[in-house]
Amino acid sequence: MNPYAHDLDRNPANYAALTPISFIARTAQVWPQRLAVVHGARRYTWSETYARSRRLASALVGCGVGRGDTVAVMLANTPEMIEAHFGVPMTGAVLNTLNTRLDADALAFMLDHGEARVLITDTEYAPVIAAAVARAKRKPRVIDVADSEGPGGARLGEIDYEALLASGDPAFAWQPPADEWDAISLNYTSGTTGNPKGVVYHHRGAYLNALSNIVDWGMPRHAVYLWTLPLFHCNGWCFPWTMAANAGVNVCLRRVEAAAIFDLIRSHRVTHYCGAPIVHALLINAPEAMRRGIEHRVHALVAAAAPPAAVIEGMERMGFDITHVYGLTETYGPAAVCAKQAEWDALDIGARTERNGRQGVRYTAVEGMTVMDPQTMREVPTDGATMGEIMFRGNIVMKGYLKNPEASADAFAGGWFHSGDLAVRQADEYIKIKDRSKDVIISGGENISSLEVEEVLYRHPAIAVAAVVAQPDPKWGETPCAFVELRPDASATEAEIIAHCQGHLARFKVPKKVIFGEVPRTPTGKIQKFALREQAKSASAID
């Protein structure tokens, strides 16, 4: 008989459901007067931010919002968006952060699918929100946010945000969830075909990933964090909750512009920020004069299936300390980190960049991350060559897809979450992505990693953005086709770029065609390879 199985039960003294709302309550108690949020001329302490969040919760309850309801928000990176990450779950409701770059049809689908009861929206987005609400079958109550830092716009609701808060109680007695498995947020994937899937997070996962961000980035207490990352994207990778636990400063940013970013870094001594490779490339390519005057160390997270080595190297040359993380909407944002080893410091910048460009190892809060053959569900060897699919398991994997049990079952087949990313395990057990499963190019029976070709393209000094897809070929079946955006004031010919690739790649991997122009992206900034494949197919037919 197990003596530990008896008379040692859970009770209110020894057990509480994990929720990231607890972070703001503690910080407001311990550091009430420390600065929490900066936005233009607006300043809020942690005590004020906590009170505003409780006012929001109280007012939402007054609107009939309760456990299991959905509150949608269409907001820029503003204080209201940060407050929503606490005020909405304080009611027991689920926060649905809408992508501000989507069209009315997509937004109408999300409002209906998520059954939004209330919609809080910035007046900048009034035209698209008006159209979305008109098309939605369910009509949410609309609350307007008129941000003095924004461009303004029409008011669609009966009341604005500040008036709503005025009706709420700053001492609202919120309760933690009865079950930490309760949903805290709903995030829609940026699917390239069909309707997006609704990814559901729970309180436990949000709590754990918020803390893991601190541990795996080595964030010191009271960090100053710049919101270059959209807060609508995976709940800002859980950083609204991270910064509450950290008792740091949220520096808001409505638009990602190089001049504004450098100005805020200088004026507020920003220590940390996150972003996709395109954000870092924007800073690298900014005029030298714009970058002057930053004399303190700035730490950055970069995330993508494979951030170009040129981005990592460029940030290091600027003096910014960059760390590569990897994850998906389904894993609360970052779930892997390229954990740095001390011996890498002795390597030259090229070798160091190669080490730091890998997807790395599991986050502290992730129970399992590996590469498996998706058919046999066996782990691939650590030979750096055998490809398989990256898989995750643990507390920061989503609850599942809302109202889509078939998709959830497929995603969790075999007891692991299937990422769809193809990778290898290297000798030190760090993982390196080779491609998305649908993006591998098969030429004459040989598999070509589009990411490998893109890495080479990014090393050409004239190229700002590169993407490689398969182009139909009558002889080889498929050959690589490159799409490139050139840097401002730079020039290059197709022959020059092909010659550059020939110097770094096996002959069968070299693009047979180079197409110049703006590379299309999804509303979350990901390159639309499905659209490029159609262009490559059309170009092949013309040729």
Side-chain angles (χ1 to χ4, degrees):
M1 181 180 293
N2 180 2
Y4 298 100
H6 302 281
D7 304 317
L8 296 170
D9 297 326
R10 293 182 187 179
N11 64 72
N14 66 18
Y15 174 82
L18 299 181
T19 174
I21 313 171
S22 65
F23 299 145
I24 194 171
R26 177 180 184 271
T27 293
Q29 177 188 19
V30 180
W31 290 287
Q33 298 310 313
R34 284 201 70 96
L35 187 61
V37 181
V38 174
H39 183 50
R42 295 163 69 188
R43 302 286 187 278
Y44 298 115
T45 65
W46 277 109
S47 176
E48 290 168 334
T49 299
Y50 185 37
R52 286 174 62 85
S53 299
R54 293 167 86 181
R55 282 185 179 276
L56 174 59
S58 172
L60 288 173
V61 169
C63 294
V65 171
R67 184 172 185 264
D69 287 331
T70 301
V71 175
V73 297
M74 182 79 162
L75 298 171
N77 287 359
T78 61
E80 294 80 10
M81 182 64 129
I82 294 168
E83 292 156 11
H85 278 79
F86 298 95
V88 172
M90 282 177 183
T91 69
V94 178
L95 176 65
N96 175 207
T97 55
L98 298 171
N99 186 328
T100 59
R101 301 162 188 160
L102 291 177
D103 59 41
D105 286 339
L107 292 169
F109 168 81
M110 293 172 185
L111 293 173
D112 282 336
H113 187 260
E115 301 181 29
R117 190 181 184 103
V118 172
L119 169 61
I120 302 173
T121 180
D122 192 295
T123 55
E124 177 180 357
Y125 312 119
V128 70
I129 285 296
V133 171
R135 296 173 198 182
K137 299 179 180 68
R138 302 173 60 94
K139 308 297 183 185
R141 181 176 183 182
V142 178
I143 311 296
D144 294 306
V145 171
D147 178 23
S148 60
E149 297 296 312
R155 301 195 181 208
L156 305 176
E158 306 164 12
I159 188 172
D160 70 19
Y161 185 85
E162 291 301 325
L164 180 75
L165 256 59
S167 71
D169 180 1
F172 175 72
W174 63 274
Q175 297 294 319
D179 187 343
E180 60 190 20
W181 181 250
D182 281 359
I184 189 171
S185 65
L186 170 65
N187 290 281
Y188 283 92
T189 60
S190 55
T192 55
T193 57
N195 288 324
K197 297 191 288 288
V199 175
V200 182
Y201 295 172
H202 50 69
H203 284 254
R204 177 182 178 86
Y207 178 101
L208 292 170
N209 211 33
L211 293 181
S212 208
N213 282 334
I214 295 174
V215 172
D216 290 305
W217 203 2
M219 292 182 79
R221 176 76 72 187
H222 309 312
V224 181
Y225 181 85
L226 177 62
W227 276 106
T228 47
L229 178 76
L231 269 154
F232 65 69
H233 185 45
C234 306
N235 297 109
W237 299 354
C238 294
F239 271 92
W241 303 309
T242 292
M243 293 312 297
N246 180 267
V249 182
N250 294 276
V251 180
C252 296
L253 179 70
R254 281 193 73 100
R255 285 181 179 79
V256 175
E257 297 170 341
I261 291 171
F262 285 121
D263 285 346
L264 290 171
I265 290 174
R266 271 189 296 268
S267 59
H268 298 292
R269 291 190 65 81
V270 166
T271 59
H272 294 74
Y273 75 91
C274 301
I278 192 169
V279 174
H280 300 284
L282 178 72
L283 302 184
I284 293 167
N285 295 322
E288 175 62 31
M290 198 178 285
R291 302 192 303 227
R292 289 188 195 130
I294 298 173
E295 299 174 353
H296 64 283
R297 194 70 167 165
V298 180
H299 303 270
L301 288 189
V302 60
V311 168
I312 296 175
E313 188 172 319
M315 294 303 293
E316 183 171 330
R317 292 191 188 281
M318 276 177 55
F320 283 33
D321 179 71
I322 193 162
T323 298
H324 180 201
V325 291
Y326 160 73
L328 304 95
T329 303
E330 290 88 345
T331 62
Y332 294 68
V337 59
C338 190
K340 297 177 180 178
Q341 304 291 336
E343 55 268 28
W344 296 354
D345 293 340
L347 301 173
D348 63 62
I349 192 169
R352 202 161 58 245
T353 296
E354 185 279 325
R355 297 288 195 285
N356 288 324
R358 298 178 294 173
Q359 281 57 52
V361 295
R362 63 187 171 97
Y363 244 32
T364 299
V366 173
E367 297 307 310
M369 171 191 176
T370 192
V371 180
M372 293 187 187
D373 180 319
Q375 303 304 316
T376 65
M377 293 301 289
R378 292 178 181 169
E379 204 168 41
V380 302
T382 55
D383 59 6
T386 306
M387 282 207 296
E389 184 178 2
I390 297 179
M391 302 197 188
F392 292 95
R393 66 172 13 158
N395 295 299
I396 62 170
V397 172
M398 65 173 178
K399 285 170 68 84
Y401 296 116
L402 182 67
K403 303 176 186 174
N404 198 337
E406 296 83 5
S408 297
D410 289 344
F412 297 146
W416 289 79
F417 169 67
H418 295 240
S419 72
D421 286 322
L422 300 181
V424 297
R425 296 172 69 218
Q426 298 188 329
D428 58 1
E429 297 195 41
Y430 277 53
I431 287 171
K432 172 71 174 176
I433 283 183
K434 291 298 183 180
D435 224 329
R436 290 288 296 174
S437 56
K438 60 190 176 186
D439 292 336
V440 170
I441 301 164
I442 304 173
S443 184
E446 297 279 1
N447 286 357
I448 301 171
S449 164
S450 65
L451 300 183
E452 180 185 0
V453 183
E454 288 165 8
E455 282 279 358
V456 170
L457 288 166
Y458 272 110
R459 290 204 170 274
H460 190 286
I463 293 177
V465 179
V468 174
V469 299
Q471 181 175 43
D473 185 270
K475 180 178 180 181
W476 302 107
E478 295 177 340
T479 55
C481 177
F483 291 81
V484 301
E485 288 181 22
L486 298 181
R487 298 178 189 273
D489 304 321
S491 63
T493 65
E494 181 179 50
E496 289 170 350
I497 290 173
I498 290 174
H500 165 78
C501 292
Q502 288 170 337
H504 298 84
L505 293 167
R507 186 171 180 176
F508 72 92
K509 297 180 180 180
V510 173
K512 301 300 184 289
K513 189 172 188 62
V514 179
I515 298 175
F516 296 90
E518 184 176 355
V519 177
R521 298 173 179 82
T522 68
T524 55
K526 296 177 183 177
I527 290 174
Q528 291 181 314
K529 286 202 168 181
F530 75 97
L532 296 181
R533 279 190 282 269
E534 289 302 313
Q535 288 187 42
K537 189 183 298 183
S538 298
S540 175
I542 293 170
D543 291 346

